[in-house]
Amino acid sequence: MRFSLYLKIVVAIIAVIFLMSFIVKPEQSVESKFRSSIIIATDSLLSSIDQLYENCSSKNFNRDLAKTQLANCRVNYKMIEAFVIYYFPGEALILNRPVVPSLAEDDEVSTVVPFSGFQFIEFLLFNDSLPTSKKELRKICKESYLIVKGLESSFNEFSFDERSLWEASQLQLIRQSLLGLADFETPESKNSRVETIASLTGISDLLLSCYASDSNSEKISSIIKLKSFISKANSYLLSHSPVNHFDFYTFYNSYYNDLSDQLLYCRDLFLDNQNLYQTTAVNLQVRSVFDPSAFNSYFFVPGKKTNSTKELIDLGRTLFFDPALSANNLRACASCHQAKKAFTDGLPVSQSFEPGRFLSRNAPTIINSVLQRKLFHDGRAFTFEDQAGRVMSNPLEMHNDFSAVAEKLVASEEYRKLFYSVFYPNEDTLISSRSILLAIAEYERSLIGMNSRFDKSISGRFDELSNDEKAGFNIFMGKAQCGSCHFLPLFNGLLPPNYVETEWESIGVPERSNSSIKKLDSDIGRYGIIPVEIFKHSFKTPTLRNIALTAPYMHNGAFNTLDDVIDFYDRGGGKALGYVVENQTLSDRPLNLSTKEKFQLKSFLESLTDTIGLTTIPSSLPLFNDNPNLINRPIGGDY
């Protein structure tokens, strides 16, 4: 019943905006046409916020009506969100900030940002455990109204170029399809399908309003075809059941890919196939975000100046597997990042430099680790050079430093030749701390595996998934709510579509999962790097790619099997199991997954395996003729 009401609202709004978008002068430029249309749509948003504010200010406040009015606000916002976020990201964040504690800046001196915007209003309206504060609602509504009023003025004054209109549209398609559709923004109202319809319609109508009078028939046909693809996608969204049973797989496979491809075609056509420079994490020149080359890996590498070469990567691989880098010539990077285990070590916590002793955490996979912003479980490193340097100098890991390593490697004529050939004709071809770090980092950055059976199937290239695996993906995105933290298609905590912001989660990981004592793991996680309460016991959301190869699970290996992990989430995390978790970010409500659903979810997760071409190890290591301790050193280390 509620969905039917929301549907009527969104259809009415779309019809009005669509008709009004054509009230432009034929002789106007694309920029002028866009400005006229976006201001009309912004007026609709202002009006809907005003209605909600009046209700919240009334003595006869009606909560159910407020929920409907909020839905109206969000639909109006989704119609223009693509361009609000692109041009005015600060204002967009205030308007639609997730109800998750966060800092103004990612450091220990920042203050926690107050909640604001539509998502916080939803939280207040739907959360019956807390009495709704009309005063708080009025305050947030007024703040939102003023932000949008300011946007209206900004749209009047701002300069819009055609390239940015298309790029904003492409990013919005990714944002709404991967985040919005999974109810990331609407966890209570579950209005994701209605909002996705509004978002897609807003893209097509605003673009159509810009180019409706174009004299080029091919261009007009391409926009009409785009609108047709959007209409088909919207019809599918309308005709299917609620989100817990929504067929995400079919939507992405049969609708999203074609829509994304057509949007790219239109962009190239209208921009006359300009050789556009890449400024985004996602490569907007490929068919869809599920393409194997959908990510610009160098976007994630700050300050990179050296081009990658096969020779540099090969040198880095050799160094990675060489125990000569450790103080005792027995441990290599590959000791803890073993190729056959997707570059993990298969231990609950990793082996220390001193045999028989262990670290406090295990080694995460380094496959696809270039596609993230922070390294280590607690995110304390930003680059592979920094990460490798920390491991090298840690007395509990490699117990060495790169200056000592460089001095050691210089004694090998074979290494000297390798470094010279790789770094020539650069001025500095010597073995140095810098060149060693650069080579290892470049090898690690080359380990990208985005072509699993899931990727081949979801992109429409092949159909390699079973019905159970497809059903498991739908459970992942819907009922199990996994996709609201492990974001597609990286399946880690980097937020689409910009892939800059890292999610930190406190889920209540136990010290030991099989213990009768209900004790939270003592590791304080991110709090040890940034001592702010919201980060206590929180960790970076890891990738789920290759998860079938990376047991045991969690930073401390608390769970031996995927079944254990699924059961933990199904029951509501540590808090639901009786552990004392003061700031659990995971909902403690049980998922109520059936035995069959758990099997299907696990089957899907196992389809994310892709290590092809990544696990090659050196056939031999460079010789040290004058050092007997290094003559017979094992490839990959001794322990």
Side-chain angles (χ1 to χ4, degrees):
M1 195 70 173
R2 187 181 72 201
F3 179 77
S4 177
L5 176 60
Y6 291 153
L7 176 57
K8 290 177 182 177
I9 293 172
V10 70
V11 170
I13 291 171
I14 288 171
V16 170
I17 293 179
F18 179 72
L19 290 172
M20 294 181 75
S21 66
F22 290 96
I23 307 176
V24 291
K25 296 179 180 180
E27 66 274 11
Q28 285 181 306
S29 66
V30 167
E31 181 180 17
S32 297
K33 292 174 183 178
F34 175 76
R35 179 175 289 108
S36 298
S37 297
I38 197 78
I39 289 175
I40 289 171
T42 305
D43 279 337
S44 297
L45 176 56
L46 275 173
S47 177
S48 60
I49 297 174
D50 191 45
Q51 291 172 17
L52 177 59
Y53 177 77
E54 286 184 11
N55 183 12
C56 294
S57 303
S58 171
K59 293 181 179 179
N60 300 315
F61 168 67
N62 186 320
R63 181 188 285 211
D64 289 334
L65 176 60
K67 291 178 181 179
T68 302
Q69 290 170 328
L70 174 62
N72 191 6
C73 289
R74 289 193 58 85
V75 162
N76 278 299
Y77 176 67
K78 284 294 174 179
M79 296 288 288
I80 62 173
E81 182 182 43
F83 310 101
V84 175
I85 290 182
Y86 190 90
Y87 297 118
F88 309 107
E91 288 81 351
L93 183 59
I94 297 173
L95 280 174
N96 201 29
R97 185 190 303 277
V99 188
V100 177
S102 60
L103 302 180
E105 300 289 342
D106 199 5
D107 59 52
E108 64 274 15
V109 298
S110 294
T111 56
V112 176
V113 179
F115 297 142
S116 64
F118 301 130
Q119 293 189 51
F120 186 44
I121 293 173
E122 174 173 298
F123 174 82
L124 293 173
L125 290 176
F126 282 83
N127 195 328
D128 292 328
S129 64
L130 293 173
T132 299
S133 167
K134 288 175 58 179
K135 183 178 180 181
E136 184 96 38
L137 283 169
R138 287 196 303 271
K139 175 188 171 190
I140 301 302
C141 287
K142 184 175 182 179
E143 178 184 53
S144 300
Y145 184 90
L146 293 174
I147 290 289
V148 176
K149 191 67 176 174
L151 286 175
E152 192 173 41
S153 300
S154 297
F155 281 132
N156 253 321
E157 301 166 0
F158 203 73
S159 177
F160 307 99
D161 65 276
E162 285 190 70
R163 177 183 183 274
S164 65
L165 296 180
W166 290 102
E167 189 167 285
S169 299
Q170 288 181 287
L171 291 172
Q172 179 66 10
L173 176 60
I174 296 171
R175 178 183 296 108
Q176 189 61 35
S177 299
L178 305 189
L179 279 184
L181 192 55
D183 273 324
F184 175 78
E185 300 176 11
T186 52
E188 303 296 340
S189 64
K190 304 294 182 184
N191 284 343
S192 61
R193 285 180 300 148
V194 172
E195 294 193 2
T196 302
I197 291 168
S199 183
L200 297 182
T201 305
I203 291 173
S204 67
D205 287 356
L206 284 165
L207 289 177
L208 189 57
S209 74
C210 293
Y211 299 105
S213 60
D214 197 295
S215 59
N216 186 310
S217 59
E218 184 183 2
K219 290 181 177 180
I220 292 299
S221 295
S222 71
I223 287 286
I224 292 173
K225 188 175 181 181
L226 174 65
K227 188 170 181 63
S228 173
F229 276 124
I230 287 178
S231 295
K232 290 177 182 178
N234 286 349
S235 295
Y236 184 80
L237 289 163
L238 283 174
S239 62
H240 285 72
S241 53
V243 68
N244 277 2
H245 304 285
F246 182 69
D247 191 343
F248 289 89
Y249 180 85
T250 297
F251 177 80
Y252 293 127
N253 178 269
S254 302
Y255 297 94
Y256 164 80
N257 288 324
D258 287 341
L259 176 52
S260 176
D261 192 32
Q262 183 62 21
L263 188 56
L264 170 61
Y265 176 80
C266 289
R267 165 183 166 152
D268 285 346
L269 185 63
F270 278 89
L271 298 183
D272 197 25
N273 289 300
Q274 295 175 24
N275 185 17
L276 300 173
Y277 52 90
Q278 294 291 345
T279 60
T280 54
V282 178
N283 179 2
L284 298 178
Q285 293 299 116
V286 299
R287 179 172 181 254
S288 90
V289 77
F290 296 113
D291 189 282
S293 57
F295 287 87
N296 298 309
S297 61
Y298 290 132
F299 175 86
F300 300 90
V301 185
K304 179 174 174 55
K305 296 179 181 178
T306 306
N307 290 328
S308 176
T309 64
K310 180 181 181 301
E311 292 74 19
L312 179 59
I313 291 170
D314 287 344
L315 174 59
R317 179 186 293 108
T318 298
L319 292 166
F320 189 89
F321 283 88
D322 196 339
L325 272 65
S326 64
N328 61 5
N329 303 317
L330 297 175
R331 285 176 63 73
C333 302
S335 294
C336 290
H337 296 284
Q338 299 169 23
K340 64 182 178 181
K341 297 174 183 175
F343 294 92
T344 62
D345 56 15
L347 298 172
V349 290
S350 296
Q351 167 74 55
S352 172
F353 181 82
E354 184 178 337
R357 301 191 67 178
F358 296 88
L359 306 177
S360 59
R361 300 170 187 165
N362 52 33
T365 181
I366 58 173
I367 296 178
N368 296 326
S369 56
V370 67
L371 304 177
Q372 58 183 330
R373 280 298 191 183
K374 296 180 174 67
L375 302 169
F376 293 111
H377 288 292
D378 56 18
R380 64 185 181 274
F382 292 88
T383 67
F384 285 100
E385 288 86 348
D386 184 19
Q387 177 263 340
R390 289 171 182 265
V391 171
M392 181 64 65
S393 62
N394 191 334
L396 299 177
E397 296 183 73
M398 302 288 277
H399 197 29
N400 213 343
D401 65 72
F402 277 102
S403 59
V405 172
E407 187 176 341
K408 185 188 294 186
L409 298 188
V410 166
S412 167
E413 181 181 358
E414 195 171 344
Y415 258 131
R416 292 198 303 272
K417 289 180 178 179
L418 279 173
F419 274 83
Y420 183 85
S421 64
V422 166
F423 289 99
Y424 181 84
N426 291 345
E427 206 173 290
D428 180 9
T429 59
L430 300 175
I431 298 176
S432 64
S433 300
R434 176 187 170 279
S435 59
I436 295 170
L437 275 169
L438 180 61
I440 293 175
E442 202 63 21
Y443 166 63
E444 292 181 325
R445 284 192 279 260
S446 75
L447 298 175
I448 300 177
M450 298 287 288
N451 203 26
S452 66
R453 288 192 300 111
F454 165 80
D455 298 302
K456 294 173 185 176
S457 298
I458 198 75
S459 65
R461 289 175 287 138
F462 302 95
D463 188 3
E464 298 190 5
L465 295 187
S466 68
N467 288 335
D468 278 330
E469 289 168 332
K470 292 174 184 177
F473 173 68
N474 290 333
I475 292 165
F476 179 94
M477 293 298 296
K479 186 175 181 180
Q481 303 169 34
C482 312
S484 61
C485 289
H486 295 274
F487 305 116
L488 297 180
L490 299 179
F491 292 96
N492 65 14
L494 212 52
L495 204 64
N498 297 322
Y499 296 96
V500 171
E501 183 181 349
T502 301
E503 290 274 292
W504 306 95
E505 303 290 344
S506 173
I507 61 175
V509 175
E511 190 175 73
R512 292 185 303 276
S513 63
N514 58 356
S515 174
S516 59
I517 302 173
K518 304 291 184 183
K519 186 177 180 182
L520 188 70
D521 185 70
S522 59
D523 194 327
I524 58 176
R526 181 71 171 164
Y527 183 84
I529 308 303
I530 300 179
V532 179
E533 286 296 313
I534 62 172
F535 289 134
K536 265 194 176 177
H537 304 290
S538 71
F539 294 87
K540 181 181 65 179
T541 302
T543 182
L544 300 182
R545 287 182 173 273
N546 293 304
I547 194 170
L549 305 177
T550 59
Y553 304 103
M554 306 300 174
H555 64 276
N556 62 352
F559 301 111
N560 293 321
T561 67
L562 271 177
D563 297 292
D564 295 335
V565 175
I566 291 171
D567 185 64
F568 174 77
Y569 280 104
D570 181 48
R571 297 171 69 181
K575 196 171 183 180
L577 294 173
Y579 304 123
V580 179
V581 191
E582 295 177 357
N583 61 327
Q584 181 166 307
T585 52
L586 174 71
S587 171
D588 60 0
R589 289 177 288 190
L591 299 172
N592 297 316
L593 298 176
S594 67
T595 300
K596 182 178 181 180
E597 287 172 330
K598 290 180 181 180
F599 166 76
Q600 291 172 328
L601 177 57
K602 179 183 175 183
S603 297
F604 156 66
L605 291 171
E606 290 173 340
S607 78
L608 294 174
T609 300
D610 176 24
T611 62
I612 295 175
L614 306 180
T615 57
T616 303
I617 66 174
S619 57
S620 62
L621 295 175
L623 295 175
F624 284 84
N625 294 324
D626 298 329
N627 190 334
N629 294 325
L630 295 173
I631 291 176
N632 295 315
R633 66 195 189 282
I635 298 171
D638 192 52
Y639 69 98

